[in-house]
Amino acid sequence: MILFVKIFCMFVMAFFAIEATAKSVPTGEKILRADTTDTFVMPKNAPYFDETKDNRAYILRRVNIHGAKHINHDIIRSSSGLVAGDSIFLSGSFIQNAMMRLWSQRYFEDIQIGATIDGDSVDLEVVLRERPRVMNWAVTGVPKGKSKDIIDEVLKLKRGHELSDHIVDRNIKLLKEHFGEKGFLDCEVDVKIEPDTVVKQAVNVTFDVKKNKRVRIGEITFSGNKAFDSKRLARTFKKTHKVSILFWQKTKFNEKEYEEDKELLLDFYNSKGYRNANILSDSIYRMVPKNPKKSRMGIHINLAEGNKYYIRNVNWIGNSKYDTEMLQRMLSINKGDVYDKKSIHKRLGIGKEQNPDDMSVSSLYQNEGYLMSQIQPDEVIVGADSLDLEIKIFEGNQFTINNVGITGNNRVNDEVIRRELYTRPGELYNRALIMQTIRTLAGMQHFNEETLVPDIKPVSNDLVDINWPLEEKASDQFNVAAGWGSGTFVGSVGITLNNLSMRNFFKKGAWRPYPMGQNQRLSISGQTNGTYYKAIALSFQDPWLGGRKPNSFTISGHLSEQNNAYYIWQSATSYFRSYGLSIGLGKRLSWPDPYFTFYGELAYQHYGLKNYNSFVMSNGKANMLSLRLVLARNSTDQPIYPRRGSDISVSLQITPPFSAMDGKNYADKNMSDQERYRWSEFHKWQFKAQWFQALTPNNNLVLMAKAEMGFLGHYNKNKISPFERFQVGGDGMSGYTMYGVDIIALRGYEDGDLDPVGSNYSIAYNKYTLELRYPVILKPSSQIYVLGFLEAGNGFTSWKDFAPWKVKRSAGLGVRLYLPIVGMLGIDWGWGFDPPAGSTKRSGSQFHFVIGQSF
C-alpha cells in the first residue's frame, strides 16, 4: 500500500511538472541553475507552448543544457530525443514527450524547457536540477567487517550515485532478500538520509538493519500422496530441510531453493513413472513454537500423483546417420518398462539431464559434427497407464570448424595455447574435443578454470567459429616459510616460475620481470636451520620439448645434509648426506584415449652416512642408479578443485640387479654395510587412484574417493635396499625434505606411527580415503574449500605380511586454501580410532598441516 501511494504521488508531481514547465518561463524571469549560484535568464520572446496556435514546423537549431553537472550533455540530448537539425512542432506533445523521457531516467528532480524562435529556427533551453548525490553509503545492525561487503557485493552501490525513491526501495528489498536467505525472514530495514556537511547537493544514506529472530523450518508435510510416504518425499529436497538431529543440513528457508526443490520432487515422481504428477497447491505458515525463543515455520504441499505409466513402443523418426537398432541399444528402454522420464532424457542427452561428458544419443551426433542436431521425445498416450514414445531426430548438417580465436591472454603466447587446442580449423566440430580442450587449458594452471567456456558461433549452414575467451590468473609462486621437524625450526625459501621462456632468456627487453610465455617451469628451493639441516633443489620442465609435439623434458637435482649439530657451537658427530640428478621424458598417448600419458626417468642418487641410525645402513656410502616408468590417466576437469573425472597412475622404479652380476656372496654375515650397499638394488611398485564425483546439481558438493598402495621388492633376500622405503602416518610434513624415503601421510596419527615396530620404515603400505568437499570461495585470486574425511591405512614389513584390509582408521575435518603465489595450504584435525604400531592406546586427536597439492 505504501509503495502504491509513493508511485501515485510521483505520477501526480510529474503530471503537474509537465503542465507547468511545458510553458516557457514568463518574460525576464530568472531560473536558478542547479550546479552554480548563477542564474539563467530566459529570452523575452519565449512562447507558451500550450497556448501557441502556430502549427508550423521549425528546425531545431540548438539544444542548450543547463544545470547538469554529473551527466554528459550529449547523452541528455540523445535520451530526450532533442536532436539538433530535426524538424519539430512547438504545439502538440513533442515537448511533453521529451520531458517524459528525461523524467524516466530518474536522474533529475526538476525539469524546465523554454524556447527562442528565430525565423523558421528554434533554440531550446533545457534547465535541470539533478537529484542529490550520495557521498557515503552505510549499513548498520551488522558487524563492521560485513558492512562493506554488503554494500559492494549485495547492493553494489557506488559513491557519487544519485539518490531516488526507486534506489532506496530497491536496496531495502535487496537487503531483506539477502538476510531472508540466511533465515531472517522477519528482517526490518529503516533508511536515514542526512545532508553531507562538506559537499552541497549531496547526502549520506544509512540502512539500519534489524534482523530479528532467525526462522527455521519446523515441519514439511504432504497430502494426496499414496505411492510414497511423506518421509520419502521430503528426502527428495536437497536444500529445504526441517530441523532434525542431522545438524549439518540447512534448515533456513530460502524461497529460490524451495522452488528448485519442488522441481526435484516432480522429477522424482516422473522417474517413477508418474508423468502427470503435479503440485496442486503449497502453503507456508508460522508454527506455534514449543520454545518461545525459537521461531519456526511449516511447509505443506498438496499433490496429485496421477497414474503410473509404462512404455509400450519406442519409435525413432528422422535418424539416418545411425540406425535404429544402435540408438535403441543406447536408450536401453524395452516394452513394459516403467516410464522413467529422467533416465530417458539423460540417455538422450537433452534438457536438464544433459551432460557433455556422458555418453548419450546427443553426444553421438555432437561428436560427429552435427552441431545443430536436436532430439525431441514425444509421448503418445494409448491407455490409462501406457504410452508410446516417439523420438524425433533432426540431424541437420555436419559443421566444420572455420576459425579458432583466442582472447584474454597477455602472458602466455598464442602459439603455446594453440598447440594445446583440440579444436582446429578445417576439422569437424566435435563436442568431446571441446571438453578435452577445456581440461587441457585448465591443467596449464594459467587460466581461471571457472570461466573456461568457449564461444561457439555458426557462421553459415556448415561452418562454425570457436573463440576461447581466457581469463589469466597468477601462476608463479614465491614461498617463505618456517616448519617444525625433529625438535627444531627449519626455514625455507623457494620460487617457482610456471611460464618461463628459455628461448627469450638472452633476448633484450624480455626480462619483465623474467622472459615468459612458453609455459616452461623452473623451480628453485632451499631449506636450512643453520647447522642441523641444509638442502637445495632445482628443477626445470619443458612440456613441449622442441615445440612440435607434446613430449615433456624434465631435469632436476638436489643436495642435502642432516646432522646432529643442533646449535652453532656444536660439532657434528653423525650425518646423512645426499645428492642426486634425474632426467625424464614424457609423452601424451592417443590410445586408448587422449587422457593417457607415459613418463620415463633415469636417476642417480648418492648417499653418505656416519653414525646415522635411521636406516639399516649406519655408516658408509651408497649409490643408486634407477629407471622409473609411469603410466597414468588423468581425466579430471581441473587441478585445484576437481568436480568429476579420475586420476590413476601405475609406476615401476627398478635398478640393475647388481647382486646377480658382481659375483659376491651376500649371504656372508661378515660383509660390511659399505660393501653390501655400495650399489642399492630394488624394484619398487606403486599404484594410486582417485575419483571425483559431484553430488549436487550445481556441482559444488564433491565426493573424492582414493586408494593407493606401494611395495619395495628385492632381487636378493640378503641385499634388501635400506633406501626408498615408506614412512606411513602423519601429515607428510617433517619440516624438511628427506631424501631416500617416501613419506605417506595418514591423518589422525603422528609421523611414522604406522611403520612396524623394530623396522626401519615400511616395505609395503596401503591407504584408502573418502573426502566430502564443499567450496567457500572459487576465484582466480584464491580458492577455499572445507572437507570431511574418512581414512585408513597401514605399513608392513614385507609383501608376505601385506593385508589390504588390515588397516588403522581415522576421521576428521579440514580446510584448504589455494593462493596462486603460495600454492595449496591447509590444516586438518583427525581422530585416530586405533593404536599406533607398538602401542595399546588409540592415537586420538591430532592436528596436521598441509603445504602443496598431494596425489
Side-chain angles (χ1 to χ4, degrees), residues 649-662:
S649 70
V650 179
S651 68
L652 169 63
Q653 185 179 3
I654 56 175
T655 66
F658 295 105
S659 61
M661 299 185 295
D662 58 16

Side-chain angles (χ1 to χ4, degrees), residues 288-304:
V288 179
K290 296 179 181 179
N291 185 347
K293 294 183 179 180
K294 297 180 180 180
S295 186
R296 295 287 185 265
M297 60 176 290
I299 298 174
H300 179 74
I301 298 176
N302 185 22
L303 291 163

Side-chain angles (χ1 to χ4, degrees), residues 97-117:
N97 290 339
M99 297 184 70
M100 286 299 295
R101 295 188 193 100
L102 291 175
W103 280 115
S104 68
Q105 303 298 315
R106 300 194 184 99
Y107 294 139
F108 312 107
E109 61 181 8
D110 186 44
I111 302 172
Q112 299 184 25
I113 298 180
T116 301
I117 298 174

Side-chain angles (χ1 to χ4, degrees), residues 15 172 183 280 486 536 617 646 690:
F15 175 80
I172 289 176
L280 298 178
S486 298
I536 186 170
M617 176 183 182
S646 61
Q690 54 183 352

Side-chain angles (χ1 to χ4, degrees), residues 21-293:
T21 58
K23 301 177 181 181
S24 68
V25 178
T27 303
E29 184 173 340
K30 295 181 178 181
I31 299 176
L32 183 66
R33 297 178 62 181
D35 54 343
T36 68
T37 56
D38 298 334
T39 57
F40 171 73
V41 180
M42 191 68 73
K44 294 181 180 181
N45 60 344
Y48 288 91
F49 296 148
D50 57 346
E51 293 180 358
T52 181
K53 296 180 180 180
D54 187 356
N55 294 323
R56 292 179 300 166
Y58 290 91
I59 301 299
L60 182 55
R61 185 168 58 187
R62 283 187 295 270
V63 179
N64 300 317
I65 307 296
H66 307 276
K69 181 179 179 181
H70 298 92
I71 304 175
N72 184 280
H73 289 188
D74 290 334
I75 293 177
I76 295 175
R77 294 186 184 97
S78 176
S79 61
S80 67
L82 301 174
V83 180
D86 283 358
S87 178
I88 68 170
F89 294 91
L90 298 182
S91 60
S93 61
F94 184 84
I95 299 299
Q96 286 89 339
N97 290 339
M99 297 184 70
M100 286 299 295
R101 295 188 193 100
L102 291 175
W103 280 115
S104 68
Q105 303 298 315
R106 300 194 184 99
Y107 294 139
F108 312 107
E109 61 181 8
D110 186 44
I111 302 172
Q112 299 184 25
I113 298 180
T116 301
I117 298 174
D118 184 6
D120 61 351
S121 299
V122 64
D123 294 343
L124 293 183
E125 309 293 338
V126 181
V127 183
L128 308 168
R129 184 163 72 246
E130 293 180 306
R131 293 186 184 277
R133 298 277 162 168
V134 181
M135 298 307 294
N136 183 56
W137 300 93
V139 176
T140 59
V142 298
K144 290 184 178 180
K146 294 184 177 180
S147 177
K148 187 176 185 303
D149 292 339
I150 292 174
I151 292 172
D152 294 341
E153 299 177 11
V154 179
L155 306 181
K156 298 180 180 179
L157 295 171
K158 303 290 184 182
R159 190 168 181 245
H161 201 285
E162 77 281 348
L163 180 67
S164 67
D165 290 341
H166 168 74
I167 291 174
V168 171
D169 293 340
R170 181 177 67 86
N171 286 289
I172 289 176
K173 181 181 178 182
L174 288 174
L175 284 170
K176 288 184 176 180
E177 289 177 352
H178 173 71
F179 288 103
E181 291 175 356
K182 298 180 180 298
F184 299 100
L185 300 182
D186 297 328
C187 175
E188 300 175 18
V189 181
D190 293 326
V191 182
K192 183 168 62 175
I193 303 174
E194 299 175 325
D196 191 78
T197 57
V198 178
V199 180
K200 293 182 179 180
Q201 194 68 9
V203 296
N204 297 321
V205 179
T206 302
F207 295 98
D208 184 32
V209 177
K210 186 178 180 181
K211 294 188 289 188
N212 294 317
K213 294 180 181 178
R214 192 190 299 270
V215 180
R216 298 187 182 276
I217 302 171
E219 64 180 14
I220 302 175
T221 59
F222 300 87
S223 61
N225 54 309
K226 298 178 181 178
F228 307 97
D229 59 35
S230 295
K231 289 184 178 180
R232 180 63 188 91
L233 297 181
R235 290 203 302 271
T236 64
F237 287 2
K238 300 302 182 184
K239 297 181 180 179
T240 306
H241 306 283
K242 69 177 183 179
V243 175
S244 68
I245 60 173
L246 305 178
F247 61 90
W248 60 85
Q249 288 186 339
K250 184 178 179 181
T251 58
K252 297 172 291 186
F253 179 77
N254 182 297
E255 186 172 355
K256 182 180 178 181
E257 293 175 350
Y258 172 56
E259 294 297 326
E260 293 174 354
D261 280 343
K262 286 196 293 185
E263 291 295 325
L264 293 177
L265 174 63
L266 294 180
D267 286 346
F268 169 75
Y269 266 105
N270 292 159
S271 69
K272 301 301 181 181
Y274 295 88
R275 62 178 297 275
N276 293 328
N278 189 28
I279 296 176
L280 298 178
S281 63
D282 65 312
S283 58
I284 300 171
Y285 53 90
R286 288 303 179 102
M287 299 175 60
V288 179
K290 296 179 181 179
N291 185 347
K293 294 183 179 180

Side-chain angles (χ1 to χ4, degrees), residues 824-839:
M824 185 68 77
L825 304 173
I827 182 172
D828 293 326
W829 170 82
W831 180 271
F833 295 106
D834 300 299
S839 175

Side-chain angles (χ1 to χ4, degrees), residues 492-753:
S492 64
V493 61
I495 184 170
T496 301
L497 307 178
N498 285 306
N499 190 27
L500 186 66
S501 176
M502 290 299 295
R503 72 182 186 186
N504 294 328
F505 207 77
F506 300 102
K507 186 177 180 180
K508 184 178 180 181
W511 287 79
R512 295 180 298 177
Y514 68 88
M516 64 176 64
Q518 291 296 308
N519 196 33
Q520 295 167 336
R521 185 175 184 269
L522 177 66
S523 178
I524 303 174
S525 64
Q527 295 175 301
T528 184
N529 80 326
T531 57
Y532 168 72
Y533 177 76
K534 298 176 284 291
I536 186 170
L538 182 147
S539 67
F540 170 79
Q541 183 185 57
D542 185 351
W544 283 65
L545 181 61
R548 295 182 178 273
K549 294 183 179 181
N551 299 327
S552 65
F553 170 75
T554 304
I555 183 170
S556 63
H558 72 269
L559 177 67
S560 70
E561 179 181 346
Q562 183 177 338
N563 56 49
N564 64 347
Y566 288 92
Y567 304 102
I568 194 171
W569 58 83
Q570 292 180 325
S571 299
T573 58
S574 71
Y575 60 76
F576 171 60
R577 294 170 181 167
S578 168
Y579 62 83
L581 178 68
S582 64
I583 298 176
L585 293 174
K587 181 179 178 59
R588 296 183 193 174
L589 305 179
S590 57
W591 185 87
D593 61 43
Y595 302 125
F596 277 87
T597 59
F598 182 77
Y599 178 77
E601 180 183 85
L602 185 65
Y604 170 76
Q605 293 267 92
H606 176 82
Y607 305 105
L609 301 91
K610 178 182 178 182
N611 300 326
Y612 197 84
N613 298 319
S614 293
F615 298 96
V616 174
M617 176 183 182
S618 301
N619 291 277
K621 297 179 180 180
N623 301 279
M624 183 191 77
L625 181 65
S626 68
L627 174 66
R628 181 168 174 260
L629 305 174
V630 182
L631 179 64
R633 185 185 187 274
N634 187 344
S635 62
T636 55
D637 57 343
Q638 55 174 282
I640 305 303
Y641 191 77
R643 293 179 170 90
R644 63 179 65 89
S646 61
D647 192 357
I648 304 171
S649 70
V650 179
S651 68
L652 169 63
Q653 185 179 3
I654 56 175
T655 66
F658 295 105
S659 61
M661 299 185 295
D662 58 16
K664 296 181 181 180
N665 180 18
Y666 290 95
D668 184 1
K669 296 182 179 180
N670 296 321
M671 180 180 287
S672 65
D673 288 345
Q674 170 65 59
E675 186 176 359
R676 186 182 301 273
Y677 300 118
R678 184 183 303 276
W679 286 97
S680 294
E681 62 176 29
F682 59 84
H683 51 93
K684 185 177 182 179
W685 304 78
Q686 281 187 284
F687 169 80
K688 298 181 179 181
Q690 54 183 352
W691 296 267
F692 300 90
Q693 179 61 53
L695 302 180
T696 55
N698 61 5
N699 294 328
N700 280 341
L701 184 64
V702 176
L703 176 68
M704 187 276 285
K706 178 180 177 182
E708 62 176 286
M709 61 82 64
F711 168 65
L712 181 71
H714 56 271
Y715 305 116
N716 189 323
K717 65 179 182 179
N718 297 309
K719 191 179 180 179
I720 302 175
S721 175
F723 308 108
E724 297 302 317
R725 300 187 181 192
F726 309 101
Q727 184 188 73
V728 186
D731 49 27
M733 290 182 57
S734 62
Y736 53 87
T737 302
M738 188 172 182
Y739 297 97
V741 177
D742 276 3
I743 299 177
I744 309 301
L746 202 152
R747 294 163 289 190
Y749 299 88
E750 293 186 359
D751 296 343
D753 263 4

